[in-house]
Amino acid sequence: MAKTGTTTQGLRTAIERSGYYPALVAEAVEAAVGGEPIASYLVHQETTFDSNEVRRHVTVLVLTAHRFIVSHTDEQAADTSSPTPYATTSTESVKLDRISSVVVSRVVANPESYTPGTLPREVVLTIGWGAVARIDLEPAACGDPNCEADHGYTGNSTADDLSLRVSEAGDGPDTVRQTLVFAQSLSEATAAAPSSTGR
């Protein structure tokens, strides 16, 4: 389930509609937003199955004029650290000029007959701001199949701070549409944000 919009009351309503510890989630998100007006938001709830347990997770993304705020809330079963079930919620506030990439991957069916404006069947929104990077390394090689020299390593470094996947089948067409709207708002905001390095 995802909801998007532009008002504080709309954000609170979307959090309440998700049904996932709304008082806890709303308090954390509203504290992070403070008094800033909201330009756009997205609330996405995900349910996963882990062995015999059902786990829920909610992600709330908020865009203001100067910041991108991301909140995650997870529930945990009782364990050795807690005799009762508990939830963990965290928020991170990122200045817009720190966002280095907004990647929108779209999966479309029957691309040969694609009509502009048709909703993708799946969207993956990946946002990077340098807090987390994934490095994939492999041994480097040359073109000689008989070469035994050490050529070091080659690889890629990818900013991967947040990745959110929604699909028409799992989340519904409105969720896919709303994710695209939020992604466009965030992309436009980061393009307009002044650089902190003066470039």
Side-chain angles (χ1 to χ4, degrees), residues 50-199:
D50 182 15
S51 298
N52 295 328
E53 295 181 16
V54 176
R55 293 184 185 266
R56 295 180 301 164
H57 174 91
V58 69
T59 301
V60 180
L61 308 179
V62 179
L63 176 63
T64 72
H66 305 287
R67 297 182 298 148
F68 166 67
I69 297 160
V70 58
S71 172
H72 295 287
T73 304
D74 292 286
E75 62 183 356
Q76 305 292 330
D79 57 23
T80 55
S81 68
S82 175
T84 60
Y86 61 98
T88 304
T89 187
S90 63
T91 57
E92 183 172 2
S93 175
V94 182
K95 288 186 176 180
L96 289 178
D97 63 5
R98 283 194 47 215
I99 295 180
S100 55
S101 65
V102 178
V103 181
V104 181
S105 301
R106 304 164 192 242
V107 177
V108 298
N110 304 311
E112 69 282 354
S113 59
Y114 176 78
T115 303
T118 302
L119 213 54
R121 73 175 190 205
E122 182 179 311
V123 171
V124 179
L125 173 60
T126 305
I127 303 165
W129 57 90
V132 178
R134 185 179 68 246
I135 299 176
D136 297 317
L137 294 176
E138 61 184 38
C142 66
D144 182 356
N146 299 316
C147 179
E148 296 181 5
D150 182 357
H151 294 286
Y153 289 87
T154 185
N156 298 308
S157 175
T158 309
D160 197 15
D161 295 301
L162 173 76
S163 189
L164 185 73
R165 176 188 171 271
V166 298
S167 69
E168 188 175 17
D171 301 290
D174 284 345
T175 299
V176 174
R177 187 176 297 106
Q178 292 161 354
T179 302
L180 291 172
V181 167
F182 182 84
Q184 182 174 346
S185 297
L186 179 61
S187 185
E188 290 170 355
T190 57
S195 171
S196 60
T197 60
R199 287 180 287 163

Side-chain angles (χ1 to χ4, degrees), residues 2-52:
K3 299 291 177 195
T4 189
T6 58
T7 67
T8 302
Q9 184 56 46
L11 172 60
R12 179 174 271 279
T13 300
I15 291 171
E16 288 171 355
R17 280 191 190 142
S18 78
Y20 184 82
Y21 306 122
L24 173 66
V25 174
E27 181 180 53
V29 171
E30 289 170 359
V33 171
E36 279 193 81
I38 294 172
S40 186
Y41 63 81
L42 179 67
V43 178
H44 180 255
Q45 183 183 320
E46 183 177 19
T47 302
T48 57
F49 300 93
D50 182 15
S51 298
N52 295 328

